[in-house]
Amino acid sequence: MRFNHTEVLSTDEVEAIHEASLTILERIGMEFLDGESRSIMRAAGADVDEATQRVRFPRELVESSVAKAPHEFTLHSWNPAHDMRVGGRWLTFGTVASAPHYIDRHGVRRTGDRQGFQDLLKLAQMLNIVHYIAGYPVEPVDLHHSIRHLEATYDILTMTDKGLHCYSLGRQRNRDALEMVRIARGIDMATLDREPSVITVVNTNSPLRLDVPMAQGMMEFAAHNQPIVVTPFTLAGAMAPITLAGAVAQQNAEALGGITFVQTVNPGAPVMYGGFTSNVDMQSGAPAFGTPEYVRTAMMGGQMARRYGFPYRSSNVCAANALDMQAAYESVFSLWGAIMGGVNFLMHGAGWMEGGLHASLGKMVLDADLLAMVAAMLEPVPVNAETLAIDTFGQRDHSWGVRPSMGIPEPVTGASVPVSKVGSLFSFLFFSTDTLAGHLQIAERGADRTYLTGLVRDRRNLAAPDVHVVDATLRLEFHEGTRRFRDAVADVDRVGQLRRADRHVVLLVFLDLREAADRLFEDVVGDVVVDRRHLADQHVLADHRAVADG
């Protein structure tokens, strides 16, 4: 839709963070612990201090390198139906990733294993709003670490047909993942190099350090033109300044340093700008998510990514230990910060709990519902002659199903079916005249009366006792061939006396007619007699005339 991203920062403030980031990279630099990566950066013109393993980036090198990165790209799956466009106005949702524990189907917290890993994969495959597997939903620690990436990637490729992620834990693991994806897609390596097919997320070791396995993974993926999501893990008050501007400046510097490195290895290789800045609990030191600080830095990160034209990665995260109100509001805040920040690639979209310490099947379902609501909200609103629906404004009957495209389709033609054979009926009636006021509630399921209550008060004598309804029958007439009622008549047996002149009162009728047969009914009550003396053309919302017989 035409959804404008929220701009927390002014243009001048964006440029101030940009300049601060360049200053950090030029004066302080980043530690590159891998010798080969330092050699690559030295050849590109960076100032490399081998004694401290620190690489300092001339600002001209940074600005020229980041300009080479593509603004959009397509991530290919072995099922072309699940190819994803990344960048621009595109938005994709991924699963939770990297949790060491999970909550199983019985609500028991367990250390990650292959069974839990596979259960989460099966659920993710069935949730259409989940577009890709963002890593291991839970770490299958019962698989030996030397072969875990092989078995886990095999499960993802055979139990889902969605995009996948490879952890950059050394050059060989990345090569293995690329080869398995190539085999699954049935293509040669040249085609894989042209068509990005697997992503990797690289977390800089904040502050300002790039570890050996991460650097090796970046070189391997960049060489094969596979997307690299450079995501600094900057927590304000811990490994980043306590101020949000300072924390985002550090995030921006580390992201630009990593992206510069990728573009030096292979100019034009696809990258994403990752934002994961939050704050810590200043009493415990634990990471906090879904906080106002997280929401604001998510939006700030989106602005910085758009400053350079990078696709933007953010996350749907929370710190709650249980599926409770905290989990709900922290996830909503995190997700809303990402959406308003212009996220293109949402990591941990479904299933994240406890600051990433456990994944949850239940949370994955709840998050999927939340993601679907966001997706529906972002759909364009069609405005045309049909949707303006001018021709329907003369209709005064507001019952369910009257207007075009409202309610479920009308039933097929068939014999009339009484309410007792169809399902349930709930009638909630309020009335008020100059002399009387009251209510009547009737609930029926099948042929059984499950609930009835009613009260009538004489407005002329408020000191008089209320009249309690002890029995009532609701008689309905429906428009032919539809579920739309034309009239409702309530025959009330009561304790007490009403004057005959007070028989006619106006009641509001709300019906819940749930289908319990193979088809809907054509005429709900074909076996009742309707008192047509009271079918006056009265229309006040869904008002219908009723009778309180004495």
Side-chain angles (χ1 to χ4, degrees):
M1 67 178 293
R2 292 181 292 274
F3 180 79
N4 293 324
H5 306 130
T6 301
E7 295 191 352
V8 181
L9 305 170
S10 68
T11 301
D12 290 342
E13 289 168 337
V14 168
E15 290 306 308
I17 291 176
H18 168 69
E19 288 297 323
S21 303
L22 295 181
T23 299
I24 292 170
L25 290 174
E26 193 168 42
R27 292 184 184 177
I28 303 171
M30 291 180 62
E31 291 181 67
F32 275 45
L33 303 189
D34 176 69
E36 183 181 356
S37 63
R38 293 196 301 274
S39 297
I40 291 173
M41 293 309 301
R42 181 185 295 107
D47 178 16
V48 178
D49 186 340
E50 288 293 339
T52 61
Q53 301 179 327
R54 190 166 294 275
V55 176
R56 292 178 174 84
F57 299 74
R59 61 181 56 216
E60 297 80 10
L61 174 61
V62 175
E63 292 180 326
S64 63
S65 297
V66 299
K68 300 172 184 176
H71 296 178
E72 295 185 26
F73 58 88
T74 298
L75 185 64
H76 299 265
S77 169
W78 66 260
N79 179 359
H82 287 154
D83 289 354
M84 300 185 308
R85 193 69 183 163
V86 179
R89 304 289 289 186
W90 299 98
L91 173 59
T92 58
F93 300 133
T95 62
V96 60
S98 310
H101 307 282
Y102 73 102
I103 304 297
D104 67 14
R105 287 175 289 179
H106 306 291
V108 178
R109 181 188 176 96
R110 301 176 59 178
T111 299
D113 54 29
R114 193 174 193 178
Q115 182 61 57
F117 174 77
Q118 292 178 340
D119 285 346
L120 288 160
L121 288 181
K122 293 174 186 177
L123 180 57
Q125 173 64 16
M126 298 303 295
L127 296 172
N128 292 333
I129 197 64
V130 174
H131 304 129
Y132 67 98
I133 311 301
Y136 305 164
V138 68
E139 193 77 19
V141 297
D142 54 340
L143 296 174
H144 193 271
H145 63 85
S146 64
I147 60 166
R148 187 179 303 163
H149 67 290
L150 299 173
E151 299 290 351
T153 303
Y154 175 83
D155 285 347
I156 295 172
L157 289 171
T158 56
M159 303 182 75
T160 80
D161 60 354
K162 301 181 179 183
L164 76 157
H165 166 277
C166 165
Y167 289 100
S168 283
L169 298 176
R171 195 183 297 274
Q172 187 58 50
R173 284 180 170 85
N174 291 70
R175 289 173 176 170
D176 291 341
L178 291 173
E179 180 63 11
M180 294 178 74
V181 170
R182 185 195 66 77
I183 293 171
R185 289 195 59 202
I187 58 177
D188 58 22
M189 186 56 71
T191 302
L192 185 70
D193 290 348
R194 291 194 306 270
E195 298 180 350
S197 302
V198 54
I199 66 168
T200 187
V201 174
V202 170
N203 293 120
T204 53
N205 189 349
S206 302
L208 300 170
R209 173 180 288 177
L210 184 63
D211 290 329
V212 173
M214 295 291 179
Q216 291 180 347
M218 293 171 79
M219 288 186 287
E220 193 65 32
F221 263 46
H224 291 284
N225 205 43
Q226 301 302 308
I228 300 166
V229 187
V230 183
T231 308
F233 190 18
T234 41
L235 292 177
M239 64 279 280
I242 192 63
T243 62
L244 298 188
V248 172
Q250 180 182 320
Q251 169 189 283
N252 198 62
E254 294 182 16
L256 292 181
I259 292 171
T260 297
F261 175 53
V262 171
Q263 298 306 312
T264 301
V265 173
N266 182 13
V271 294
M272 281 185 257
Y273 180 111
F276 204 64
T277 296
S278 188
N279 59 296
V280 296
D281 186 312
M282 297 309 291
Q283 289 183 326
S284 67
F289 298 104
T291 61
E293 291 78 13
Y294 183 90
V295 175
R296 288 193 285 173
T297 56
M299 294 186 288
M300 292 166 69
Q303 277 189 264
M304 299 311 300
R306 290 191 297 278
R307 160 68 172 77
Y308 309 108
F310 300 140
Y312 179 48
R313 168 257 161 112
S314 190
S315 301
N316 173 24
V317 288
C318 71
N321 298 335
L323 286 177
D324 55 11
M325 182 181 294
Q326 180 187 352
Y329 68 68
E330 287 183 347
S331 292
V332 168
F333 266 74
S334 296
L335 180 58
W336 196 232
I339 296 299
M340 291 192 295
V343 63
N344 302 112
F345 203 71
L346 188 76
M347 295 282 291
H348 311 302
W352 170 291
M353 287 289 293
E354 198 182 349
L357 292 181
H358 83 254
S360 165
L361 291 162
K363 182 62 158 43
M364 184 175 284
V365 173
L366 294 178
D367 280 335
D369 194 34
L370 183 60
L371 296 176
M373 293 173 68
V374 169
M377 180 200 71
L378 294 176
E379 285 290 329
V381 178
V383 179
N384 52 49
E386 181 181 358
T387 60
L388 289 172
I390 295 176
D391 293 339
T392 67
F393 281 93
Q395 302 182 31
R396 298 298 301 277
D397 188 345
H398 288 229
S399 303
W400 180 259
V402 170
R403 297 193 178 198
S405 303
M406 284 186 62
I408 59 179
E410 294 298 339
V412 297
T413 302
S416 298
V417 179
V419 173
S420 62
K421 294 183 180 180
V422 175
S424 62
L425 178 148
F426 179 71
S427 178
F428 192 23
L429 316 175
F430 278 109
F431 63 89
S432 179
T433 70
D434 291 339
T435 58
L436 297 174
H439 71 271
L440 175 65
Q441 298 179 58
I442 301 175
E444 297 178 355
R445 185 175 296 278
D448 299 327
R449 168 74 52 80
T450 59
Y451 183 77
L452 183 142
T453 184
L455 193 70
V456 179
R457 173 168 294 181
D458 189 342
R459 299 183 65 180
R460 298 159 302 182
N461 182 11
L462 298 180
D466 294 335
V467 177
H468 294 273
V469 177
V470 297
D471 194 15
T473 301
L474 186 65
R475 295 182 289 147
L476 310 172
E477 182 179 87
F478 285 73
H479 294 282
E480 183 178 358
T482 74
R483 301 176 301 108
R484 306 194 303 267
F485 64 89
R486 180 183 294 123
D487 193 75
V489 178
D491 298 322
V492 179
D493 295 328
R494 56 183 174 72
V495 179
Q497 295 293 323
L498 296 177
R499 294 191 312 167
R500 194 68 178 172
D502 296 327
R503 293 179 59 217
H504 303 292
V505 294
V506 176
L507 308 180
L508 284 175
V509 181
F510 302 93
L511 295 177
D512 182 11
L513 300 168
R514 293 186 175 88
E515 179 186 6
D518 292 337
R519 63 176 178 80
L520 297 173
F521 43 91
E522 176 195 15
D523 191 350
V524 177
V525 283
D527 57 350
V528 302
V529 177
V530 178
D531 186 350
R532 293 192 176 275
R533 291 175 300 168
H534 309 294
L535 296 186
D537 186 17
Q538 297 285 341
H539 294 286
V540 181
L541 293 178
D543 295 4
H544 298 275
R545 190 167 295 280
V547 179
D549 286 330

